[in-house]
Amino acid sequence: MFDPRAFRRFKSNRGAVFGVVLVALLAVFAILAPALSGHNPNASDFQNGVGAAGRPIGPSGAHWLGVDNLFRDLLSRLAHGARVSLLIAFIATAISITVGAFVGLASGYAEGSRLQAIDTALMRFVDIGLSFPYLLLVMAIGAAVGEVTITTILLVLGLTSWFGTARVIRSKTIQVRSLDFIVASRALGQSTVPILLRHILPNVAGPLIVIASASVAQMIIAESVLSYLQVGLPPPTATWGRMLYEGQRMVAVAPRLVVAPGLLIFVAVIGFNLVGEGLRDALDPQED
Amino acid sequence: MRSIRKKIDGSWGALAVAASILSMGCSSEVKAPIGENRDVEPQRGGVLRTASFTNLRSLDAAVAFDTLAAAIESLIYDRLVAYGPRSTKIVPQLAETLDISDDGLRYTFTLRRGVLFHDGNELRAADVKRSIERAFHPKTPCPVASYYSDIVGHQEYRDGQAPELRGVRVEGDYVVVVELSKPSAPFIHLMTLPIVAPVCASAGKTYDREFSKKACGTGPFKLEKFEHGQIVRVVRHDGYWQKGRPYLDAVEWSLSMQSFAQRLKFEDGDLDFMRDFNATDSLLYRSSAKWKGYGEWESPMTTAGVFMNTEMPPFDNRHVRRAVSHALDRQQVVMVRKGHAVPHYKMVPEAITPSVDDYPSQKTDVSLALEEMRLAGHAFDPKTGKGGIDTEIRYMALLDSFGQQAAEVFQQHLARIGVRIKIDLVSWPTFLAKVTRRKTVAMGTAGWHADYPEPSTFFEPILTSRAIADEASQNYAFFSNSEFDDAIERAIRTTDSSERTRLYRRAEEIVAEEAPWAVTHAYRYFELWHPYVHGYRPHPVLSQHLPDAWIDREGARLARSARRGNCWQVAPGAGRCRQAPHRPRTTLALVVGDR
């Protein structure tokens, strides 16, 4: 699957490299920052965190970025939020891509065959899924499940975002399925599953990777929106969306509480989108 | 890089939110009030608009008993007697006269003639009896029915063993006699509550969920609109018995509105009155010379903290409850809402019973808390983190409230003694539905606002056995203690004030020892209104008591036209308008990426 030409194309794309740098910096921040700041993200510091008139203090030696409305270290919470956001984004994307690829492959391979009914059923299901307002669907599921945990968020995000992927992979599968080497494999008696996994899947991997990288960015946004709307992970878990929500109360005196998580969401999303864009360009043979 | 702009659109969402919020509120200054306080006579007309961060569960007089509902009910339902304007003195309202027999057992109310319900029917004595019987009907989930258990025949009627409430008698069209089985000092205060307010015949003989949407009484305003989670609007009752009143055409409450949004609307003149400030905004307004004279603290007749359900593990063990009570640091939690919350250690607020002479109260002491955990069989070692209670305890708090922030602080305090809690955030209606149900919620936010200025209001309805019910229990802790019940019962009966003081002191002692609640703070609201709102000051007992408010319509009109013209402030006297420095305002919008 590794194509040196694609790698060269990716390397020469400055936007893509910049995206990789942003993502790498974010990953380093998520891993190292809690150790650097030395604060528990959920612990209030009533000793050093309370400033004049009872307001949370700004950046200081004890708290490099200051503290939030409950006097908790902002840097630690941002880093913890990065861990939560990245973890949720990656795993939810994996779920979404896996389900989308499976449905897309099955549907595309069944299209026009005696198993046409499978394709019709799956695509109508996808139509229904796409017709629901995404956030409303996510919030409704979240409310119905009741208790919100990381697992709930992962399942909700992962299982409501694969519809578009399935559509793309189906189209690509239909295209690849009619190529000569697939026809040859079938003529030689190879069964369906090996054909799908060994021959078709590698040939639809390009779009799948591109979708996945863009999906990570969208998952970060979706998780933040859920937290912002107070239907995400319960407090005191630090997530960027929740921090944005909590910070808005203090915006008059501590705008950093809004700027910091907003900026991180922006950086994360733009980073993953740039990587996705670069991958798409690199994996597209027409670029040569 | 072909279509990067299109692909990264979604990423601007977070930045847009942050930028919007910043552009809306990134200033340590507050805007000046809209208009000026003009020296004009009280006048009719105008709509007063306000908001609340909570939702409203019901407006049925017999069942709705939270602070917001009570405020709206004071506009819809007049009572036989009520508190005087800005006074704790009880004065006749629908009753023209009240005669109390020498033995304190017989209350004779003579009604005013010509009082009309919102449906146009005249109020008669039979309506009063019907309304009281409806409130205490066996099928009515009245949260404080036990308050009224001294009315003759109350229990047998409540239990469904009698067809009528014997202690409420009708004598002719305009005389109602209420007979008590025992004298009760707070009883006359209880007659000021909406629970026993006359309601229209359409309310039926028992509780009907639908009545809340068409609430109907004899108050100065009638309900026009109640959209759950959205808005409540009441409009003037033209047939109101008090001539020339009310002044306002209507009062509107926007429901479930965050304090942040309320502030923005208030500054823009889209709300005329507000009180759900966060600590920062409150401080900004309180310290602003521009707003001097247009805001005031509400009387702090509240107590708040954490309730622990004594029927559910681990709080069926008094040592665990005591441990929690000792573990919560009152001084720390009030720092989150400085000015609004003050540390509090006992049930009755300082305004009613000052803490003098080593008055019994709860205390913060982590070493005592650890000792109580050991006695409870859940010894915890803070150094190793070993021990404590194995299971995570669900803690219910109201979404987006000070109770939520307090819960996050309490979570840290309790972790120090090996009690792990998980915070469940719910809306107000859900909170009420769950915490009032038996064996449903182990612990959560507790708070109580005085129904009348007397200590029993902080004991009888929320901690006595009589206040326990399988559904709609006002005793969230389901605390049952015979000595406590007896102390409250005797305090209510006695005419000896020193004996009453001693009994209430004993009741506080029992609360400190048994800890059904960990009392942590008293909360008070800072209320603010635009200068064109007149006739309102916080009432010493009643929350958001608006019936006497009026609007300087000309002042309001100028203010509104000023707002349309992007004016900063209306000049005194005339419709002149000072131009505001230009401050762009961005609409708060969430931009969500493509799928």
Side-chain angles (χ1 to χ4, degrees), chain A residues 46-58:
Chain A
F46 289 101
Q47 296 281 312
N48 304 312
V50 186
R55 291 177 186 168
I57 58 157

Side-chain angles (χ1 to χ4, degrees), chain A residues 42 44 46 69-70 72 130 132 218 221 230 236 245 248-250 252-253 255 265 269 274 277 280-281, chain B residues 1-4 7 10-11 14 22 25 27 258 260 278 280 332 336 399-400 405 408 411-412 594-595:
Chain A
N42 298 331
S44 302
F46 289 101
N69 60 329
L70 291 182
R72 299 172 294 203
L130 285 170
F132 275 106
Q218 285 153 24
I221 290 272
Q230 303 280 290
Y245 177 81
Q248 70 184 17
R249 296 178 188 147
M250 308 287 290
V253 289
I265 296 171
V269 173
L274 285 170
E277 194 69 21
R280 199 190 70 171
D281 291 350
Chain B
M1 296 286 285
R2 283 174 305 186
S3 57
I4 275 187
K7 292 290 279 182
S11 69
L22 281 174
S27 163
Q258 291 174 21
F260 178 65
N278 61 48
T280 313
Q332 284 190 350
V336 176
L399 181 70
D400 201 24
Q405 295 175 317
E408 290 181 54
Q411 193 174 41
Q412 299 172 42
D594 302 337
R595 277 195 257 180

Side-chain angles (χ1 to χ4, degrees), chain B residues 50-55 68 253-258 262 276:
Chain B
T50 184
S52 173
F53 79 97
T54 64
N55 197 349
L68 177 61
W253 266 271
S254 297
L255 305 175
S256 304
M257 186 184 285
Q258 291 174 21
Q262 284 188 42
D276 290 340

